[in-house]
């Protein structure tokens, strides 16, 4: 392969610097002598809520995102492009608008909220609401990742299994999904990271209630107004969580 032009390399270097500089600045400005404050009840509780919400949201993304990706990549039906646009809309939708939409749908006076309240289910300003908001914005990332994998999949093994009499469900479970495992795991990690960092939809739909809906991003926002040092330390905690996930997957499910 011919070497790339120098201008391309310079632009790539500038992009890397632009991404790395804020992270380096966080580390440089962090009050490392006060790192023990991360063990206080506030940051610790926000961390536990973040882990609970992000993992549950990633699980929801997996349950609903993989079938959606398979349908969008394989099925042919009228209006498929419209359905695909709707499924991916949260990618470009402002998070606050997503939160308002969730309130309109599941709020106390929402389209479905009244019916859910009648059977004792309440989503706004609850941990379940935070999970729903995070899953809403994270699922399209998993859909995109898995859909690309489905489109690139070699269908000869699936065709061979069907020729030998395997049912569609058997082919899906034993051939298609195992072949898509790298894309599914990669999409799951990206969805989890997006859910971990979600702010706008969560604070709009679930609020900022300590111990229930206050995730680390919300705790960082609150701390920035009263304790910037603690906000920086919690931000670095989020960076560390994201890096751990990427390093753990590097070379196994993600391209080097």
């Amino acid at each position: 392969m011919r070497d790339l032009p120098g201008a391309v390399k310079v632009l790539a270097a500038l992009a890397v610097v632009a991404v790395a500089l804020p992270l380096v600045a966080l580390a440089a400005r962090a009050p490392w002598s006060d790192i023990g404050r991360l063990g206080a009840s506030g940051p610790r509780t926000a961390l536990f809520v973040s882990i609970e919400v992000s993992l549950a949201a990633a699980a929801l993304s997996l349950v609903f995102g993989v079938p959606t990706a398979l349908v969008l990549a394989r099925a042919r039906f009228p209006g498929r492009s419209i359905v695909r646009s709707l499924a991916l809309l949260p990618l470009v939708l402002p998070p606050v608008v997503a939160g308002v939409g969730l309130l309109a749908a599941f709020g106390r006076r929402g389209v479905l909220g009244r019916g859910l309240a009648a059977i004792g289910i309440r989503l706004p300003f609850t941990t379940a609401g935070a999970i729903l908001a995070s899953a809403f914005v994270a699922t399209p990332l998993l859909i995109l990742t898995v859909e690309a994998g489905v489109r690139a999949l070699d269908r000869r093994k699936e065709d061979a299994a069907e020729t030998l009499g395997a049912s569609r469900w058997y082919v899906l479970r034993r051939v298609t999904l195992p072949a898509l495992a790298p894309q599914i795991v990669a999409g799951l990690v990206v969805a989890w990271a997006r859910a971990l960092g979600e702010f706008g939809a969560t604070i709009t739909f679930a609020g900022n209630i300590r111990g229930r809906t206050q995730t680390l991003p919300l705790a960082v926002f609150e701390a920035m107004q009263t304790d910037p040092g603690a906000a920086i330390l919690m931000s670095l905690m989020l960076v560390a969580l994201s890096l751990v996930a990427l390093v753990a997957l590097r070379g196994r499910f993600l391209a080097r």
Side-chain angles (χ1 to χ4, degrees), residues 63-96:
V63 170
F64 294 101
V66 172
T68 303
L70 288 167
V71 169
L72 293 177
R74 292 280 178 86
R76 296 292 180 267
F77 54 90
R80 185 170 67 94
S81 60
I82 297 176
V83 172
R84 186 174 189 273
S85 297
L86 289 174
L88 301 180
L89 184 61
L91 280 176
V92 296
L93 199 65
V96 173

Side-chain angles (χ1 to χ4, degrees), residues 13 15 19 23 26 33 43 56 92 114 130 175 179 189 194 197 204 218 220 223 254:
V19 172
L23 303 180
L26 275 177
S33 59
V92 296
R114 293 180 180 179
V175 180
V189 171
R194 177 66 182 87
T204 305
L218 300 184
V220 169
L254 300 178

Side-chain angles (χ1 to χ4, degrees), residues 29-78:
R29 293 287 303 276
W32 295 107
S33 59
D34 296 332
I35 195 170
R37 286 192 293 172
L38 290 178
S41 61
R44 187 175 66 250
T45 301
L47 172 62
F48 291 154
V49 172
S50 287
I51 293 174
E52 177 186 2
V53 168
S54 61
L55 289 178
L60 280 178
S61 298
L62 179 67
V63 170
F64 294 101
V66 172
T68 303
L70 288 167
V71 169
L72 293 177
R74 292 280 178 86
R76 296 292 180 267
F77 54 90

Side-chain angles (χ1 to χ4, degrees), residues 156-231:
R156 286 179 293 182
K157 290 184 179 180
E158 294 174 293
D159 294 338
E162 290 180 357
T163 301
L164 293 173
S167 66
R168 292 181 180 179
W169 182 245
Y170 183 90
V171 173
L172 177 65
R173 289 188 298 111
R174 303 301 295 271
V175 180
T176 307
L177 292 181
L180 290 173
Q183 288 78 21
I184 292 174
V185 174
L188 187 62
V189 171
V190 174
W192 170 78
R194 177 66 182 87
L196 183 68
E198 170 50 31
F199 179 87
T202 301
I203 198 171
T204 305
F205 182 60
N208 186 21
I209 306 170
R210 291 189 181 185
R212 291 173 58 187
T213 66
Q214 187 184 72
T215 58
L216 272 177
L218 300 184
V220 169
F221 174 75
E222 184 177 277
M224 279 297 296
Q225 303 172 52
T226 57
D227 191 351

